[in-house]
Amino acid sequence: MAETDTKAPAKAKPAALRKGALVKVNRAAYSASLEASASDSTAPDYIFEGPGELLLVKGDYGQVRWNRPVPDVWLRMDQLESCG
């Protein structure tokens, strides 16, 4: 008898975020980060609701612009997720 492969299929890797993508911040990833502990104790809700536009990606960080009169911010890419 031939053995069948019982391994579960590999999970598809989520699509990498690119410049121009609409993003929001993953609350769990951000809350446990160094950036959160160095910032205001309560982050504004709009960063978790999105959308923000990913303006630039440099290494592990992305620059996000919100559709509000606030400054652009740099966040680690692992803290961002696609909005939509």
Side-chain angles (χ1 to χ4, degrees), residues 5 12-13 15-16 23 27 32 34 39-43 45 48-49 51 61-62 70-71 75 77 79-81:
D5 189 8
K13 187 176 179 180
V23 296
R27 190 180 297 267
L34 177 64
S39 299
D40 193 6
S41 60
T42 55
D45 286 333
F48 304 114
E49 296 165 358
Y61 290 85
V70 296
L75 294 165
M77 292 297 291
Q79 297 170 355
L80 301 175
E81 58 188 31

Side-chain angles (χ1 to χ4, degrees), residues 14-77:
L17 297 172
R18 298 183 190 185
K19 178 180 174 182
L22 296 179
V23 296
K24 62 182 178 179
V25 176
N26 179 309
R27 190 180 297 267
Y30 178 78
S31 297
S33 71
L34 177 64
E35 291 83 359
S37 63
S39 299
D40 193 6
S41 60
T42 55
D45 286 333
Y46 67 84
I47 70 170
F48 304 114
E49 296 165 358
E53 181 183 358
L54 189 57
L55 298 178
L56 188 62
V57 176
K58 283 196 175 189
D60 293 336
Y61 290 85
Q63 183 182 20
V64 181
R65 174 171 291 159
W66 305 102
N67 191 16
R68 296 177 178 259
V70 296
D72 300 343
V73 294
W74 286 89
L75 294 165
R76 281 197 342 251
M77 292 297 291

